[in-house]
Amino acid sequence: MRLCLSHKLSRREHGTFVLGGRDLAHSLRLRFPEPALTESGPVLIGHWAWAALSPDGSTLLAQWSAECEVPEAFLLPLDGGRPRLVTGEKSRAMSPNSTALGWTTDGRAIVFLAHGPACGGGVGEPGVYVYSESGAGERIVATRGEADSPVGRSRRPRTVESPQ
């Protein structure tokens, strides 16, 4: 999988993820996530940084790197629907920092939520979570407040019992 960013950004598209190899490639044009609401109005600063394709091939788990490198994990349906925050909030301003880590073999997104980062928001129960859909998360690895995930990123699906 490759991420190709456009230098001629439009208001609706930010770049393209190319899935597959040379002989069988599928391109997904990337839409911007909704702008973050700030005191001075809506702001869209950042870029797509990483993605992994779901085991069933229907969804990308994608990492948006927002202003100050604040991580936000999104689910992007391959049918072209809107990016949805993995954690389920309607507003990016209300969402915790979330780092996309990959997928489980049964099709759940693996995401790290930190306790209290320097920028952005944290969660009361930090750790590694699995999400069956946007907003439906279950913590599988507890952490104390570390800034980095104890589980690494992978584009290959893994089991919940062994997410490393």
Side-chain angles (χ1 to χ4, degrees), residues 22-108:
R22 291 183 205 167
D23 298 334
L24 180 62
H26 173 76
S27 295
L28 174 65
R29 292 183 183 261
L30 297 174
R31 298 173 81 171
F32 281 110
E34 293 296 321
L37 298 176
T38 67
E39 291 179 10
S40 58
V43 174
L44 187 57
I45 298 174
H47 61 276
W48 293 110
W50 185 85
L53 183 62
S54 64
D56 69 2
S58 68
T59 308
L60 281 176
L61 171 62
Q63 186 69 59
W64 178 259
S65 182
E67 185 175 18
C68 297
E69 303 304 317
V70 170
E72 296 174 331
F74 284 87
L75 296 171
L76 296 152
L78 286 186
D79 66 8
R82 285 215 159 283
R84 299 179 322 271
L85 284 161
V86 169
T87 52
E89 290 80 11
K90 299 288 184 210
S91 166
R92 291 177 50 218
M94 302 306 292
S95 69
N97 289 7
S98 54
T99 302
L101 300 175
W103 293 92
T104 62
T105 53
D106 63 0
R108 293 181 283 170

